[in-house]
Coordinates of all heavy atoms in Angstrom, one line a residue:
Chain R
R46 N 0.1 -12.9 16.2 CA 1.4 -12.2 16.0 C 1.3 -10.8 16.5 O 2.3 -10.3 17.2 CB 1.8 -12.2 14.5 CG 3.1 -11.6 14.3 CD 3.8 -11.9 12.9 NE 5.0 -11.2 12.8 CZ 5.4 -10.7 11.6 NH1 4.8 -11.0 10.5 NH2 6.5 -10.0 11.6
D49 N 1.7 -10.9 20.2 CA 3.1 -11.1 20.6 C 3.9 -9.9 20.4 O 4.7 -9.5 21.3 CB 3.7 -12.2 19.7 CG 3.2 -13.6 20.0 OD1 2.8 -13.8 21.2 OD2 3.2 -14.5 19.1
I50 N 3.7 -9.1 19.3 CA 4.5 -7.9 19.1 C 4.2 -6.9 20.2 O 5.1 -6.4 20.9 CB 4.1 -7.3 17.8 CG1 4.6 -8.2 16.6 CG2 4.6 -5.9 17.6 CD1 4.1 -7.7 15.2
S53 N 5.6 -7.4 24.2 CA 7.0 -7.0 24.6 C 7.2 -5.5 24.4 O 7.9 -4.9 25.2 CB 8.0 -7.8 23.9 OG 7.9 -7.6 22.5
I54 N 6.6 -4.9 23.4 CA 6.7 -3.4 23.2 C 6.1 -2.7 24.4 O 6.7 -1.7 24.9 CB 6.1 -3.0 21.9 CG1 6.7 -3.7 20.7 CG2 6.3 -1.5 21.7 CD1 8.1 -3.4 20.4
R57 N 8.4 -3.1 27.4 CA 9.6 -2.3 27.2 C 9.4 -0.8 27.4 O 10.1 -0.1 28.1 CB 10.2 -2.6 25.7 CG 11.3 -1.7 25.3 CD 12.5 -1.9 26.1 NE 12.9 -3.3 26.2 CZ 13.2 -3.9 27.4 NH1 13.1 -3.3 28.5 NH2 13.5 -5.2 27.4
V169 N 21.2 10.6 22.7 CA 21.5 9.2 22.7 C 21.5 8.6 21.3 O 22.4 7.9 20.9 CB 20.6 8.4 23.7 CG1 20.9 6.9 23.6 CG2 20.7 8.9 25.1
E172 N 23.9 10.3 18.9 CA 25.3 10.4 19.4 C 25.9 11.8 19.4 O 27.0 12.1 18.9 CB 26.2 9.5 18.5 CG 25.8 8.0 18.6 CD 26.6 7.0 17.9 OE1 27.3 7.5 16.9 OE2 26.6 5.9 18.2
P174 N 26.6 15.0 22.0 CA 26.8 15.3 23.5 C 25.6 16.0 24.0 O 25.2 17.1 23.5 CB 28.0 16.1 23.6 CG 28.8 15.8 22.4 CD 27.8 15.5 21.3
V175 N 25.0 15.5 25.1 CA 23.8 16.1 25.7 C 24.0 17.5 26.2 O 23.2 18.4 26.1 CB 23.2 15.2 26.8 CG1 22.0 15.8 27.4 CG2 22.8 13.8 26.2
D176 N 25.2 17.7 26.8 CA 25.4 19.0 27.4 C 25.5 20.1 26.4 O 25.1 21.2 26.6 CB 26.7 19.0 28.3 CG 27.9 18.5 27.6 OD1 27.8 18.0 26.5 OD2 29.0 18.6 28.3
R177 N 26.1 19.8 25.2 CA 26.1 20.7 24.1 C 24.7 21.0 23.6 O 24.3 22.2 23.3 CB 26.9 20.2 22.9 CG 28.4 20.3 23.1 CD 29.1 19.7 22.0 NE 30.5 19.6 22.3 CZ 31.4 20.4 21.7 NH1 31.1 21.2 20.7 NH2 32.7 20.4 22.1
I247 N 23.5 19.7 38.1 CA 23.9 19.1 36.8 C 25.3 19.7 36.4 O 26.2 18.9 36.0 CB 22.9 19.6 35.7 CG1 21.5 18.9 36.0 CG2 23.4 19.2 34.4 CD1 20.5 19.3 35.0
Y248 N 25.5 21.0 36.6 CA 26.8 21.5 36.1 C 28.0 21.3 36.9 O 29.1 21.5 36.5 CB 26.6 23.0 35.7 CG 25.6 23.1 34.5 CD1 24.3 23.5 34.6 CD2 26.1 22.7 33.3 CE1 23.5 23.6 33.5 CE2 25.2 22.7 32.2 CZ 23.9 23.1 32.3 OH 23.1 23.1 31.2
T249 N 27.8 20.9 38.2 CA 28.9 20.4 39.0 C 29.1 18.9 38.8 O 30.1 18.4 39.3 CB 28.7 20.7 40.5 OG1 27.5 20.1 40.9 CG2 28.7 22.2 40.7
G250 N 28.1 18.2 38.2 CA 28.3 16.8 38.0 C 27.8 16.0 39.2 O 28.0 14.8 39.2
A252 N 24.8 15.4 40.0 CA 23.7 14.5 39.4 C 23.8 14.5 37.9 O 24.2 15.5 37.3 CB 22.4 15.0 39.9
T253 N 23.4 13.5 37.3 CA 23.3 13.4 35.8 C 22.0 14.2 35.4 O 21.1 14.3 36.2 CB 23.2 12.0 35.3 OG1 22.0 11.4 35.7 CG2 24.4 11.2 35.8
P254 N 21.9 14.6 34.2 CA 20.7 15.3 33.7 C 19.4 14.5 34.0 O 18.4 15.0 34.4 CB 20.9 15.5 32.2 CG 22.4 15.6 32.1 CD 22.9 14.6 33.1
S255 N 19.5 13.1 33.9 CA 18.3 12.4 34.1 C 18.0 12.2 35.6 O 16.9 11.7 36.0 CB 18.4 11.0 33.4 OG 19.7 10.5 33.3
T306 N 5.5 1.4 16.5 CA 5.9 0.0 16.1 C 5.1 -0.4 14.9 O 5.7 -1.0 13.9 CB 5.8 -1.0 17.2 OG1 6.7 -0.6 18.3 CG2 6.0 -2.4 16.8
G309 N 6.4 1.2 11.9 CA 7.6 0.6 11.5 C 7.4 -0.7 10.7 O 8.0 -0.9 9.6
Y310 N 6.5 -1.5 11.2 CA 6.3 -2.8 10.5 C 5.6 -2.5 9.1 O 5.8 -3.3 8.2 CB 5.3 -3.6 11.3 CG 6.0 -4.6 12.3 CD1 6.0 -4.3 13.6 CD2 6.7 -5.7 11.8 CE1 6.7 -5.1 14.5 CE2 7.3 -6.5 12.7 CZ 7.3 -6.2 14.1 OH 8.0 -7.1 15.0
H312 N 6.5 -0.1 7.3 CA 7.5 0.5 6.5 C 7.1 1.9 6.1 O 7.7 2.5 5.1 CB 7.9 -0.3 5.2 CG 8.4 -1.6 5.5 ND1 9.0 -2.4 4.6 CD2 8.5 -2.3 6.7 CE1 9.4 -3.6 5.1 NE2 9.2 -3.5 6.4
I315 N 10.1 4.5 6.6 CA 11.2 4.2 5.6 C 10.8 4.6 4.2 O 11.6 5.3 3.5 CB 11.6 2.7 5.7 CG1 12.2 2.4 7.0 CG2 12.5 2.4 4.5 CD1 12.6 0.9 7.1
P357 N 16.2 7.4 13.1 CA 17.1 6.4 12.5 C 17.0 6.6 10.9 O 18.0 6.3 10.3 CB 16.5 5.1 12.9 CG 15.8 5.4 14.1 CD 15.3 6.8 14.0
Chain B
R4 N 9.5 -11.3 2.7 CA 9.9 -9.9 3.2 C 10.1 -10.0 4.7 O 9.1 -10.3 5.4 CB 8.8 -9.0 2.8 CG 8.5 -8.9 1.3 CD 7.5 -7.8 1.0 NE 7.9 -6.6 1.6 CZ 7.2 -5.5 1.5 NH1 6.0 -5.5 1.0 NH2 7.6 -4.3 2.0
D6 N 11.6 -8.2 8.3 CA 12.0 -7.0 9.1 C 13.1 -7.4 10.0 O 12.9 -8.4 10.8 CB 10.9 -6.4 9.8 CG 9.8 -5.8 8.8 OD1 10.2 -4.9 8.1 OD2 8.7 -6.4 8.8
P13 N 22.3 3.7 12.8 CA 22.5 3.5 11.3 C 23.9 3.5 10.8 O 24.2 2.9 9.8 CB 21.6 4.6 10.7 CG 21.2 5.5 11.8 CD 21.5 4.8 13.1
T39 N 14.5 -5.9 5.4 CA 14.5 -4.4 5.7 C 15.1 -4.2 7.1 O 14.7 -4.9 8.0 CB 13.1 -3.9 5.7 OG1 12.4 -4.2 4.5 CG2 13.1 -2.4 5.9
H41 N 15.8 -2.2 10.5 CA 15.3 -1.1 11.3 C 16.3 -0.8 12.4 O 16.2 -1.3 13.5 CB 13.9 -1.6 11.9 CG 12.9 -1.9 10.9 ND1 11.9 -1.0 10.5 CD2 12.6 -3.0 10.2 CE1 11.1 -1.5 9.7 NE2 11.5 -2.8 9.4
P42 N 17.2 0.1 12.1 CA 18.3 0.4 13.1 C 17.8 1.3 14.2 O 16.7 1.9 14.1 CB 19.3 1.1 12.2 CG 18.6 1.7 11.1 CD 17.4 0.8 10.8
L46 N 11.9 -0.4 15.5 CA 10.7 -1.1 15.7 C 10.1 -1.2 17.1 O 9.1 -1.7 17.4 CB 10.9 -2.6 15.2 CG 10.8 -2.9 13.7 CD1 10.9 -4.4 13.5 CD2 9.5 -2.4 13.1
G47 N 10.9 -0.6 18.0 CA 10.5 -0.5 19.4 C 11.1 -1.6 20.3 O 10.9 -1.6 21.5
Y48 N 11.8 -2.6 19.7 CA 12.4 -3.7 20.5 C 13.7 -3.2 21.0 O 14.5 -2.7 20.2 CB 12.5 -5.0 19.7 CG 11.3 -5.6 19.2 CD1 10.9 -5.4 17.9 CD2 10.5 -6.3 20.1 CE1 9.7 -5.9 17.4 CE2 9.3 -6.9 19.6 CZ 8.9 -6.7 18.3 OH 7.7 -7.2 17.8
R49 N 14.0 -3.5 22.3 CA 15.4 -3.4 22.7 C 16.1 -4.8 22.6 O 15.4 -5.8 22.4 CB 15.4 -3.0 24.2 CG 14.8 -1.7 24.4 CD 15.7 -0.6 24.0 NE 15.0 0.7 23.8 CZ 15.6 1.8 23.4 NH1 16.9 1.8 23.1 NH2 14.9 2.9 23.2
K51 N 17.3 -6.8 24.6 CA 16.8 -7.8 25.6 C 15.5 -8.5 25.1 O 15.2 -9.6 25.6 CB 16.4 -7.1 26.9 CG 17.6 -6.5 27.7 CD 17.1 -5.8 28.9 CE 18.1 -4.7 29.4 NZ 17.6 -3.8 30.3
D52 N 14.7 -7.8 24.3 CA 13.5 -8.4 23.8 C 13.7 -9.4 22.6 O 12.8 -10.1 22.3 CB 12.5 -7.3 23.4 CG 12.4 -6.2 24.4 OD1 12.4 -6.6 25.6 OD2 12.3 -5.1 24.0
D59 N 8.9 -15.9 19.0 CA 7.4 -15.8 18.7 C 7.1 -15.6 17.3 O 6.0 -15.7 16.8 CB 6.8 -14.6 19.5 CG 6.8 -14.9 21.0 OD1 6.8 -16.0 21.4 OD2 6.7 -13.9 21.7
G60 N 8.1 -15.1 16.5 CA 7.9 -14.7 15.1 C 7.3 -13.3 15.1 O 6.9 -12.9 14.0
A61 N 7.3 -12.6 16.2 CA 6.9 -11.2 16.2 C 7.8 -10.4 15.2 O 7.3 -9.5 14.5 CB 7.0 -10.6 17.6
V62 N 9.1 -10.7 15.3 CA 10.0 -10.1 14.3 C 10.8 -11.3 13.7 O 11.2 -12.2 14.5 CB 10.9 -9.0 14.9 CG1 11.8 -9.5 16.0 CG2 11.7 -8.3 13.8
P63 N 11.0 -11.5 12.4 CA 11.6 -12.7 11.9 C 13.1 -12.8 12.2 O 13.6 -13.9 12.3 CB 11.3 -12.7 10.4 CG 10.9 -11.3 10.1 CD 10.4 -10.7 11.4
S168 N 23.9 8.1 27.8 CA 23.6 9.6 27.6 C 24.2 10.4 28.7 O 24.4 11.6 28.5 CB 22.1 9.8 27.5 OG 21.5 9.3 28.7
D169 N 24.4 9.9 29.9 CA 24.9 10.7 31.0 C 26.4 10.7 31.0 O 27.0 11.4 31.8 CB 24.4 10.1 32.3 CG 22.9 10.4 32.5 OD1 22.4 11.4 31.9 OD2 22.2 9.7 33.2
V171 N 28.8 11.8 28.9 CA 29.5 13.1 28.6 C 29.4 14.2 29.6 O 30.4 14.7 30.0 CB 29.1 13.6 27.1 CG1 29.5 15.0 26.9 CG2 29.8 12.7 26.1
Q173 N 28.9 13.8 32.7 CA 29.6 13.4 33.9 C 31.2 13.5 33.7 O 31.9 13.8 34.6 CB 29.3 11.9 34.3 CG 27.9 11.8 34.8 CD 27.8 12.1 36.3 OE1 28.3 11.4 37.2 NE2 27.2 13.2 36.6
A175 N 32.5 15.7 31.6 CA 32.7 17.1 31.5 C 32.9 17.8 32.8 O 33.6 18.7 33.0 CB 31.6 17.8 30.6
T176 N 32.1 17.3 33.8 CA 32.1 17.9 35.1 C 33.1 17.2 36.0 O 33.3 17.6 37.2 CB 30.7 17.8 35.8 OG1 30.3 16.4 35.8 CG2 29.7 18.6 35.0
S178 N 32.9 14.2 37.3 CA 32.4 13.3 38.2 C 32.9 11.9 37.9 O 33.0 11.0 38.8 CB 30.9 13.3 38.2 OG 30.4 14.5 38.8
A191 N 32.7 8.5 18.6 CA 31.4 9.0 18.2 C 30.9 10.1 19.1 O 30.2 11.0 18.7 CB 30.4 7.9 18.1
D196 N 37.4 15.7 23.8 CA 37.2 16.9 24.5 C 37.4 16.8 26.0 O 37.6 17.8 26.7 CB 35.8 17.5 24.3 CG 35.6 17.9 22.8 OD1 36.6 18.1 22.1 OD2 34.4 18.1 22.4
Y197 N 37.3 15.6 26.5 CA 37.3 15.4 28.0 C 38.5 14.6 28.5 O 38.8 14.6 29.7 CB 36.0 14.9 28.4 CG 34.8 15.5 27.8 CD1 34.2 14.9 26.7 CD2 34.4 16.8 28.2 CE1 33.1 15.6 26.1 CE2 33.3 17.4 27.6 CZ 32.7 16.8 26.5 OH 31.7 17.4 25.9

Side-chain angles (χ1 to χ4, degrees):
Chain R
R46 180 160 176 214
D49 286 336
I50 292 173
S53 61
I54 303 294
R57 173 62 53 230
V169 174
E172 299 181 336
V175 176
D176 52 353
R177 280 175 190 251
I247 295 176
Y248 291 107
T249 55
T253 68
S255 30
T306 294
Y310 271 105
H312 296 191
I315 293 183
Chain B
R4 301 185 56 185
D6 293 294
T39 307
H41 296 267
L46 277 186
Y48 299 100
R49 299 282 162 184
K51 293 177 200 165
D52 310 321
D59 292 337
V62 63
S168 58
D169 288 333
V171 163
Q173 290 277 292
T176 54
S178 288
D196 288 347
Y197 314 101

